[in-house]
Amino acid sequence: MSLWELLATVLAFSAPVAVVSGFIPFVIVFDGAGAPAVFLCAMALLLIFAIGFTTMTRYLPRPGGFYAYVTAGLGRVAGLGAAMLAIMGYLLLGFCTLPFFAVNVDALVRGSLGGPAIPWPVYGSLCGLGSATLCYFRIDLSAKVLTVAMALETLVVVIFDIAVLHNGGPEGISLAPLGWSSMTSGSVGIAILFAVTCFLGFEATAIFREEVRDAERTVPRATYLAVLLIGLFYAFSAWMTVSAFGMSRITAIASAAPANLFPRGMELYVGRIASDALHILLATSQFAAVLSAQNILARYGMSLGIDGVFPRILGHIHSRHQSPHVASMAVSLIWLIIGALFVLMSVPPDLLYARVAGVGGFAILLLMLLTSAAIIMFFRRSDQQFNAGLGATLFAPALATLGLGAVVYLAIANFTLLIGGSQNEANALIITTFLVFFAGAAYACILRSKKPTIYRNIGRQLL
């Protein structure tokens, strides 16, 4: 893959149109007109994280993502726990997009086209089948599909942004939403929590290390560009959304109907046709997110299969397409089983999305915190000589650890908002997430005792 194909592959996971229409309104609900500044703040935190992250990529020549980073910094026991968290997080985030895709396609078919009502598992299965088919072939095919999808969904948001910028909105274009006073006027902590979750996926650049040209340069560049592009794009779109309805009215309008905020703005400033097209692009955006998640998961499964931690068949690479096709098929099978369980429990698709997405996002936030701490320990413990200063190996990772620690604390304190459920449900899901990490760590301890050769392979690195 080229730099731009890698970028499209990881950026698709964040589903830009879905974020602009689904997450930005919630950031506005909690922080009002200060939402654009909140995204800039989240971008700054993750850029600081990226400093240590990209510096460490020079010394970990094999892929493996956060699994490899945590192993190298905190040891094999923590590393395997991190691997289980990663798999849990990406599995849930990828799976929850399937019912979200189904809901939007159903709205398009019935609402805009006057078609029949079809159960959500049918649409979800078609989305999963399309993703599985593309993942079977070479990664550059997925990358090309994701590039086109990213271009289309980005284009529609840019059209809205330009239309608002040209029109000026009811109160004119003001720089106030980008200021500190606007950001601190609402529940800024909860708003930052939601904003940070919108960036998830940028860290996957390191997972595709073996499948990009000139990995030493491409992976760091793609990581920085992903954070910058996501941050600036969402901050500008949030600014234009605020401007579209006016600083004095935006909080009330968003709170009354957050899901309708962006479609309403699109219809007001671009037209009804663009609003209808938004439903199509929401569906393609969600398909792209599923495809991106499956590609990431397949490579985690492949890494663990190569190490022998999972069945080694998962580490097999297709002789012609050079894809981790067995691990990819395993992901599809797991999603099918999870979907069948939720169908048997008659869980509504919108409720399913809220619960599963919140837990998956929390798992990845924990993983990022562990990785940030692992970067510090890697550069402090290793006997190697590094051509990097304290800024990249200590100060930046330490700041990132403090910032991400605060975000994780906010996630735990406000977990009911993340999942849209009761406190008892929140407590059970938080405990389950931590248990997944400890189960992975316990498995590493068993391997250390029973299968020391496999234990030494954990992390895909020669430590």
Side-chain angles (χ1 to χ4, degrees), residues 364-435:
I364 302 300
L365 285 175
L366 277 178
L367 193 58
M368 290 177 67
L369 176 60
L370 281 170
T371 303
S372 193
I375 292 168
I376 298 173
M377 296 307 297
F378 175 77
F379 287 110
R380 302 282 75 75
R381 286 180 175 178
S382 180
D383 295 330
Q384 299 182 50
Q385 295 296 316
F386 301 110
N387 297 319
L390 287 177
T393 63
L394 178 61
F395 298 140
L399 280 174
T401 302
L402 290 173
L404 290 168
V407 172
V408 168
Y409 167 77
L410 289 168
I412 293 172
N414 299 280
F415 210 76
T416 54
L417 293 173
L418 274 182
I419 65 168
S422 68
Q423 188 60 55
N424 287 337
E425 289 174 318
N427 293 339
L429 292 172
I430 291 170
I431 292 170
T432 300
T433 305
F434 279 101
L435 285 177

Side-chain angles (χ1 to χ4, degrees), residues 298-316:
R299 281 146 186 84
Y300 266 106
M302 178 192 69
S303 292
L304 289 161
I306 290 173
D307 289 347
V309 175
F310 282 177
R312 290 192 183 277
I313 191 172
L314 294 176
H316 286 192

Side-chain angles (χ1 to χ4, degrees), residues 18 48 60-61 66 69 91 103 106-107 130 150 181 186 193 225 249 256 267-268 300 303 338 347 356 400 432 463:
I48 293 170
L60 298 183
F66 286 158
Y69 282 70
L91 265 177
V103 167
D106 181 64
M150 279 291 300
S181 60
L193 166 62
L225 276 173
R249 301 171 57 230
E267 186 170 349
L268 282 172
Y300 266 106
S303 292
I338 295 173
V347 180
V356 176
T432 300
L463 300 181

Side-chain angles (χ1 to χ4, degrees), residues 98 124-138 141-142 287-288 290-295 298-299 318 321 323-336:
L98 296 172
S125 297
L126 289 174
C127 179
L129 180 62
S131 174
T133 301
L134 287 171
C135 286
Y136 182 82
F137 297 101
R138 285 173 57 91
L141 176 59
S142 292
F287 173 75
V290 171
L291 177 58
S292 180
Q294 186 157 4
N295 272 309
R299 281 146 186 84
H318 195 283
H321 303 300
S323 63
H325 62 297
V326 179
S328 177
M329 287 188 287
V331 172
S332 295
L333 179 61
I334 293 170
W335 278 346
L336 182 63

Side-chain angles (χ1 to χ4, degrees), residues 3 6-7 47 50-59 69 202 205-206 209 212-228:
L3 170 64
L6 176 59
L7 264 177
L47 281 174
I51 293 172
F53 182 72
T54 55
T55 301
M56 196 167 170
T57 58
R58 303 179 205 165
Y59 307 99
Y69 282 70
F202 81 90
T205 50
R209 185 182 180 90
V212 298
R213 305 167 194 160
D214 192 8
E216 291 292 331
R217 293 184 179 182
T218 301
V219 171
R221 287 177 180 176
T223 305
Y224 282 119
L225 276 173
V227 177
L228 281 168

Side-chain angles (χ1 to χ4, degrees), residues 329-354:
M329 287 188 287
V331 172
S332 295
L333 179 61
I334 293 170
W335 278 346
L336 182 63
I337 294 170
I338 295 173
L341 290 174
F342 280 113
V343 169
L344 289 173
M345 291 187 293
S346 301
V347 180
D350 51 350
L351 182 63
L352 175 58
Y353 174 77

